[in-house]
Amino acid sequence: TISTITDKVLDGMAEWQGRPLDPVYPVVFIDCIHVKIRDGQVANRPIYIALAVTVDGNRDILGLWAGDGGEGAKYWQQVLTEIKNRGVADVLMLVCDGLKGLPESVGNVWPQTIVQTCVVHLIRASMRFVSYGDRKAVAAAVKPIYTASSEEDALAALEAFRDGPWGSKYPSAVRSFQAAWDRFTPFLAFPPALRRVIYTTNAIES
């Protein structure tokens, strides 16, 4: 029964996946989620998702792509190139996780696009080497960095964290923010109402 139903919607799916897109999107979120797919046997497969905010302020899923392996910047460049070939001439800001090489892949497709690292992913990365018992306190200590009113205030908060007890104990958390700084700070130029829209890719996970 499931096979019969899916056979009937395949044409519609293909038409939706290849439909023309808007020429400009203010914000595009990209992320990869892993879901169980039966292909002979059930296995976890990465599904690449691009979710846009239109100029009218609506959300639009630009496409879904099933990958074969882990998440990679090279595969993302193929996805973004396909999106461009479907009519997207420009993306003002693209929000993504901290995947290595991804900002360069975005730049190859849309050279002027601002790449914003997902703040939630960055916080998770900074907590990777923090012991479980300290995570709540460290999370509170880094909060002034990403809630700062400006990039200058965020830098001052990072320096205060670095020089404090938690930064001394967990220098890897400091390095996580330092390494991502240029991709982390763009959202700080916007007012709080807009920051809530662009600071994370969690809408995709939802």
Side-chain angles (χ1 to χ4, degrees), residues 70-127:
E71 186 174 8
K74 186 176 180 181
Y75 190 88
W76 269 122
Q77 183 162 333
Q78 296 175 16
V79 168
L80 298 177
T81 300
E82 179 184 322
I83 291 172
K84 182 177 183 179
N85 291 339
R86 287 164 60 197
V88 181
D90 198 10
V91 172
L92 305 189
M93 176 176 280
L94 187 138
V95 186
C96 59
D97 63 14
L99 186 65
K100 187 176 181 180
L102 186 50
E104 290 74 19
S105 296
V106 175
N108 290 336
V109 180
W110 297 295
Q112 301 301 316
T113 297
I114 297 170
V115 178
Q116 169 69 49
T117 291
C118 170
V119 176
V120 174
H121 279 86
L122 180 56
I123 295 169
R124 288 175 187 165
S126 71
M127 296 292 166

Side-chain angles (χ1 to χ4, degrees), residues 14-38:
E15 182 181 348
W16 174 82
Q17 183 75 3
R19 75 196 188 282
L21 300 174
D22 295 349
V24 176
Y25 288 100
V27 186
V28 170
F29 305 87
I30 62 173
D31 204 356
C32 177
I33 61 173
H34 290 81
V35 298
K36 292 187 182 300
I37 293 179
R38 182 185 295 278

Side-chain angles (χ1 to χ4, degrees), residues 141-150 153-155 157-159 161 177 181 184 187-188:
V142 300
K143 187 174 181 180
I145 302 172
Y146 60 86
T147 57
S149 59
S150 65
D153 289 347
L155 183 58
L158 176 61
E159 291 172 348
F161 174 73
F177 277 91
W181 194 255
F184 156 67
F187 86 113
L188 294 173

Side-chain angles (χ1 to χ4, degrees), residues 62 121 173 183 204:
L62 305 185
H121 279 86
R183 306 297 183 189
I204 289 178

Side-chain angles (χ1 to χ4, degrees), residues 173-197:
V174 178
R175 289 194 294 269
S176 294
F177 277 91
Q178 290 172 333
W181 194 255
D182 290 343
R183 306 297 183 189
F184 156 67
T185 54
F187 86 113
L188 294 173
F190 296 91
L194 283 179
R195 289 187 192 184
R196 287 194 291 271
V197 176

